[in-house]
Amino acid sequence: MASRAGPRAAGTDGSDFQHRERVAAHYQMSAALKSEIRKLNAAHAVLWLLMVVQVSSGLILLQSAAPRLVCPPYWWQYPYLLSAAPTALNLLSLRRNHTGYLVASVMGGGLLGAAPLMYGAASPTAASCGFPAVSVLYLAVIIAAQLHGWQIYYSKRLLTSGTTARRSRTRPRTLVLML
């Protein structure tokens, strides 16, 4: 070991690193996946705020007599706004490795995030605002679908990386059916 006050210990040339402890691979993968999920959550929050602005401005303009400058909100956008809840659960699960929150965020992300986006992409009423608004809407749907897809994918990988590491240390569980 090196000390501050003197040279390196006698007989040490720096090649004695083989015996040192290393971080296990599943912990390294967990840290990398959590970092990616945090980035995706931040991007989803920005997209969600843009959707809130679009929906709220559309609702305000629907109630006023002003000329229509903003498309009215589509019906699929209302359930999509609820997709902030699975994202919040996802953020809560990352701090303490709470798998229950992570599972709920994966299921909620599919139900409240991906399902409304699929309906919005296939919605025949999207052409009611004209070409530029429709192209921007479809661009937002494509970006949001990719964000949700990657978020669900990385969350599932995080779930499986943690459970495979735990299963390798414990005995296998057996399924008992209660009749």
Side-chain angles (χ1 to χ4, degrees):
M1 289 196 18
S3 65
R4 293 184 190 187
R8 192 179 310 174
T12 305
D13 61 355
S15 63
D16 61 344
F17 61 90
Q18 296 294 331
H19 71 280
R20 295 182 187 158
E21 292 184 22
R22 292 188 186 100
V23 177
H26 65 276
Y27 291 123
Q28 290 176 346
M29 186 180 350
S30 174
L33 290 172
K34 285 180 182 181
S35 172
E36 292 296 322
I37 291 172
R38 283 187 183 98
K39 291 175 193 173
L40 290 168
N41 285 341
H44 179 257
V46 169
L47 188 69
W48 184 81
L49 286 174
L50 290 173
M51 188 75 70
V52 166
V53 167
Q54 193 268 334
V55 168
S56 62
S57 64
L59 288 175
I60 290 170
L61 289 177
L62 278 178
Q63 295 176 358
S64 69
R68 181 180 286 176
L69 299 174
V70 178
C71 289
Y74 299 109
W75 288 107
W76 62 268
Q77 289 176 325
Y78 298 114
Y80 180 77
L81 291 178
L82 297 174
S83 69
T87 302
L89 284 176
N90 202 330
L91 283 173
L92 290 174
S93 71
L94 295 180
R95 179 86 174 150
R96 298 266 183 189
N97 293 330
H98 198 286
T99 57
Y101 287 164
L102 194 58
V103 168
S105 74
V106 168
M107 295 168 82
L111 183 65
L112 297 173
L117 287 172
M118 286 189 286
Y119 180 77
S123 177
T125 61
S128 65
C129 274
F131 177 71
V134 171
S135 60
V136 169
L137 177 72
Y138 279 128
L139 180 65
V141 166
I142 289 170
I143 291 171
Q146 288 180 349
L147 282 175
H148 281 289
W150 285 111
Q151 193 174 20
I152 290 170
Y153 173 72
Y154 284 138
S155 297
K156 289 285 287 179
R157 283 203 50 202
L158 183 61
L159 278 171
T160 57
S161 73
T163 56
T164 54
R166 270 187 252 124
R167 283 186 193 149
S168 65
R169 290 180 290 186
T170 61
R171 62 181 180 87
R173 296 180 184 166
T174 57
L175 179 65
V176 178
L177 296 174
M178 303 287 286
L179 297 178

